[in-house]
């Protein structure tokens, strides 16, 4: 029902009243028709029963006197000569006997002006000729009974419809009361800004499931808001230092404007700081994009192999020392496998892990990238021969802007977003990533679930 000005309770109640009116009205109408038809059949049966004894007597003894009709019977007997032998009909019907004699055995309604009668005539064939028995029944009682029934059914329909509407109003209000309570609680939580959740009603009905769904939705919103707040806070903290450094470098450049070599060095230092800021901004944008809700495209096994090979080639080009060795190994094939990760993200994943290992080894050591099919998973391992990672730092290594204080910290030029980006890529592909010290370096293991193309 399109009634925008009414509440759900009002719309349901009005709809229920309309449906009840149609149903009860139809039932009352057909019930009245059935009762009326039953009463007419009963009256016709009485007419035949009134005529039956006279017909039997005339057939057996046509010459004997005709018995007087009982009280309330309206009967007229006409002999073969057309003479009226006996009649208890009212004068208005006696005056029309010639017409009534021709009505036949099927009853018909005769209106005398003041009263209506149901009349039937029966021809009795005897040895003395054809007699006619006319019987009649006053329809006034039948009409009064039908009218009274109509009145009762009308009142009953109205009472039932109103009662049904009232019951619908009360039941709808009771059913919507938990929803109104949830709305009030949600409004209170929104106004107060509290971290509490909606109270889930007892039971396992639609309202309780709605409360659970709303709590999950609220939880996701809060986590998203908290994550954005944390990003802003962390980004502000991380940007504060390089911006302060850049400002100082520019001040030094202004002071050294007359000293060309010093000015050149200041500008070079400022350029390095700007590059650091650019990388930080790029990584933040990339991390925000990865944490979006767009489903990633799929990559087949050959795409994974190609991206791993390309990443290793890039690492070889920019290696920090002649004693640094970067290599890869592909173990097995998977022509039917599909993995929920884009080729670009595969390259980012390997680039960041290899770059993390290369920076930790400071130009000396080896990095091995292994791609392996393990059952229904893809296993990518990046293992180095560097100093490893502090055990206390491993649980928080994938947090944003987290950097170890020593060992793999290198020169401290990283933004602390590399492993966070890696974790976001793996999480988006429904995979897992773990770090572990091997005693002779660090191993990063990435597992991605395998899918097959739908046939």
């Amino acid at each position: 029902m399109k009634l925008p000005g009414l509440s759900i309770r009002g719309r349901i109640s009005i709809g229920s009243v309309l449906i009840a009116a149609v149903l009860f009205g139809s039932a009352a109408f057909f019930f009245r028709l059935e009762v009326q038809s039953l009463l007419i059949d009963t009256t016709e049966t009485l007419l035949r029963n009134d005529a039956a004894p006279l017909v039997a007597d005339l057939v057996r003894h046509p010459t004997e006197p005709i018995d007087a009709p009982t009280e309330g019977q309206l009967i007229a007997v006409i002999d073969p000569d057309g003479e009226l032998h006996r009649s208890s009909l009212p004068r208005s019907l006696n005056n029309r006997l010639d017409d009534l004699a021709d009505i036949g055995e099927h009853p018909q309604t005769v209106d005398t002006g003041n009263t209506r009668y149901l009349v039937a005539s029966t021809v009795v064939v005897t040895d003395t000729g054809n007699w006619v028995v006319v019987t009649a029944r006053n329809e006034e009682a039948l009409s009064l009974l039908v009218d009274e029934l109509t009145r009762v059914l009308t009142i009953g329909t109205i009472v039932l419809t109103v009662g049904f509407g009232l019951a619908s109003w009360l039941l709808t209000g009771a059913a919507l009361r938990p929803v109104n309570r949830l709305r009030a609680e949600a409004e209170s939580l929104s106004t107060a800004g509290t971290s509490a959740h909606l109270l889930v009603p007892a039971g396992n009905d639609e309202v309780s499931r709605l409360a659970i769904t709303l709590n999950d939705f609220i939880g996701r919103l809060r986590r998203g808001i908290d994550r954005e707040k944390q990003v802003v806070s962390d980004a502000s903290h991380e940007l504060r230092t390089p911006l302060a450094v850049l400002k100082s470098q520019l001040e030094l450049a202004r002071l050294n404007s007359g000293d060309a070599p010093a000015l050149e060095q200041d500008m070079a230092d400022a350029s390095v700081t700007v590059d650091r800021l650019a990388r930080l901004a790029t990584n933040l944008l990339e991390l925000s994009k990865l944490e979006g809700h767009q489903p990633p495209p799929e990559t087949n096994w050959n795409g994974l192999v190609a991206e791993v090979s390309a990443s290793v080639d890039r690492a070889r080009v920019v290696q920090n020392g002649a004693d640094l060795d970067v290599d890869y190994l592909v173990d097995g094939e998977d022509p039917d496998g599909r993995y929920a990760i884009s080729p670009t993200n595969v390259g980012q994943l390997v680039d960041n892990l290899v770059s993390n290992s290369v920076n930790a080894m400071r130009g000396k050591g080896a990095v091995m990238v292994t791609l392996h099919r393990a059952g229904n998973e893809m296993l990518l391992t990046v293992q180095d021969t560097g100093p490893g990672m502090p055990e206390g730092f491993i649980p928080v290594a994938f947090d944003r802007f987290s950097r170890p204080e020593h060992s793999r910290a290198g020169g401290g030029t990283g933004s602390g977003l590399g492993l966070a980006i890696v974790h976001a890529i793996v999480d988006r592909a429904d995979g897992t990533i773990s770090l572990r010290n091997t005693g002779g370096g660090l191993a990063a293991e990435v597992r991605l679930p395998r899918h097959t193309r739908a046939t």
Side-chain angles (χ1 to χ4, degrees):
M1 296 178 62
K2 295 183 179 180
L3 298 173
L6 292 178
S7 63
I8 293 177
R9 186 180 188 184
R11 292 199 296 270
I12 292 177
S13 299
I14 292 176
S16 300
V17 168
L18 293 178
I19 293 174
V22 171
L23 292 178
F24 294 146
S26 300
F29 175 75
F30 287 110
F31 180 75
R32 178 187 178 279
L33 289 181
E34 187 67 24
V35 171
Q36 186 178 14
S37 176
L38 180 62
L39 291 175
I40 292 174
D41 291 341
T42 302
T43 303
E44 292 178 355
T45 301
L46 292 175
L47 285 175
R48 287 191 291 270
N49 291 338
D50 289 343
L54 294 175
V55 171
D57 288 342
L58 289 172
V59 171
R60 288 194 301 267
H61 310 290
T63 59
E64 294 184 2
I66 299 173
D67 295 335
T70 59
E71 184 178 357
Q73 284 186 327
L74 301 179
I75 296 174
V77 179
I78 303 173
D79 64 14
D81 296 328
E83 298 294 333
L84 180 61
H85 267 235
R86 187 175 293 277
S87 175
S88 60
L89 298 178
R91 181 180 301 175
S92 57
L93 291 180
N94 281 329
N95 294 334
R96 303 172 59 178
L97 274 178
D98 293 339
D99 295 331
L100 300 181
D102 297 330
I103 285 179
E105 294 185 358
H106 184 71
Q108 296 184 22
T109 299
V110 177
D111 192 349
T112 62
N114 296 325
T115 309
R116 291 188 306 167
Y117 296 91
L118 196 63
V119 181
S121 63
T122 304
V123 178
V124 184
V125 180
T126 66
D127 295 338
T128 60
N130 294 337
W131 295 69
V132 178
V133 178
V134 179
T135 55
R137 284 277 174 173
N138 192 331
E139 284 191 334
E140 183 177 354
L142 176 62
S143 299
L144 291 175
L145 182 59
V146 172
D147 292 342
E148 181 65 18
L149 177 64
T150 303
R151 187 181 68 83
V152 172
L153 290 176
T154 301
I155 296 175
T157 299
I158 294 174
V159 171
L160 287 175
T161 301
V162 172
F164 194 85
L166 180 60
S168 177
W169 174 268
L170 295 176
L171 290 176
T172 305
L176 292 177
R177 192 173 296 117
V179 178
N180 292 330
R181 189 183 304 117
L182 285 178
R183 182 190 60 78
E185 290 180 5
E187 185 176 355
S188 175
L189 293 179
S190 175
T191 303
T194 178
S195 60
H197 284 76
L198 298 175
L199 180 63
V200 179
N204 188 28
D205 55 9
E206 291 81 356
V207 178
S208 62
R209 290 194 290 270
L210 173 62
I212 293 173
T213 302
L214 288 177
N215 281 334
D216 292 340
F217 177 68
I218 293 172
R220 288 194 298 270
L221 284 180
R222 284 173 177 162
R223 287 193 294 271
I225 293 173
D226 292 342
R227 183 170 59 249
E228 295 302 324
K229 288 181 178 179
Q230 187 64 38
V231 169
V232 173
S233 175
D234 293 342
S236 300
H237 176 75
E238 291 295 322
L239 289 171
R240 186 182 300 112
T241 299
L243 286 174
V245 171
L246 179 61
K247 182 178 180 180
S248 300
Q249 291 169 339
L250 293 176
E251 288 289 337
L252 288 175
R254 185 177 64 82
L255 294 175
N256 294 327
S257 59
D259 186 351
L263 178 61
E264 182 178 0
Q265 182 60 43
D266 292 337
M267 296 303 295
D269 293 340
S271 177
V272 172
T273 304
V274 170
D275 289 340
R276 180 183 177 187
L277 285 171
R279 287 195 303 270
L280 180 60
T282 301
N283 288 338
L284 284 172
L285 289 174
E286 182 63 29
L287 194 57
S288 176
K289 183 173 67 175
L290 288 172
E291 291 178 344
H293 299 290
Q294 296 83 4
E298 289 188 342
T299 303
N300 58 19
W301 182 261
N302 291 333
L304 297 178
V305 173
E307 289 299 326
V308 169
S309 174
S311 294
V312 171
D313 289 340
R314 287 192 293 271
R316 289 170 176 170
V317 172
V318 297
Q319 58 184 331
N320 294 335
D323 295 333
L324 183 63
D325 182 29
V326 182
D327 205 352
Y328 74 96
L329 173 65
V330 177
D331 184 12
E333 296 182 354
D334 186 13
D336 299 325
R338 297 292 185 274
Y339 301 89
I341 186 172
S342 68
T344 301
N345 289 154
V346 175
Q348 289 177 301
L349 175 67
V350 180
D351 285 347
N352 278 288
L353 291 177
V354 172
S355 175
N356 184 70
S357 296
V358 169
N359 292 335
M361 292 185 297
R362 303 179 185 179
K364 186 176 181 179
V367 180
M368 174 59 70
V369 181
T370 304
L371 183 63
H372 174 63
R373 159 83 185 280
N376 289 326
E377 292 181 328
M378 175 216 77
L379 175 60
L380 175 69
T381 304
V382 178
Q383 184 167 354
D384 62 49
T385 58
M389 185 176 287
E391 291 293 338
F393 179 73
I394 290 179
V396 298
F398 298 111
D399 293 346
R400 298 178 181 185
F401 306 111
S402 61
R403 289 186 293 269
E405 296 180 358
H406 52 81
S407 185
R408 295 177 67 91
T413 59
S415 64
L417 290 176
L419 290 179
I421 292 175
V422 167
H423 185 270
I425 292 173
V426 175
D427 186 66
R428 189 186 186 199
D430 294 328
T432 59
I433 182 171
S434 61
L435 300 174
R436 59 181 176 86
N437 289 311
T438 61
L442 182 74
E445 293 185 350
V446 176
R447 296 179 181 270
L448 299 183
R450 175 181 181 270
H451 308 282
T452 55
R453 179 180 297 175
T455 56

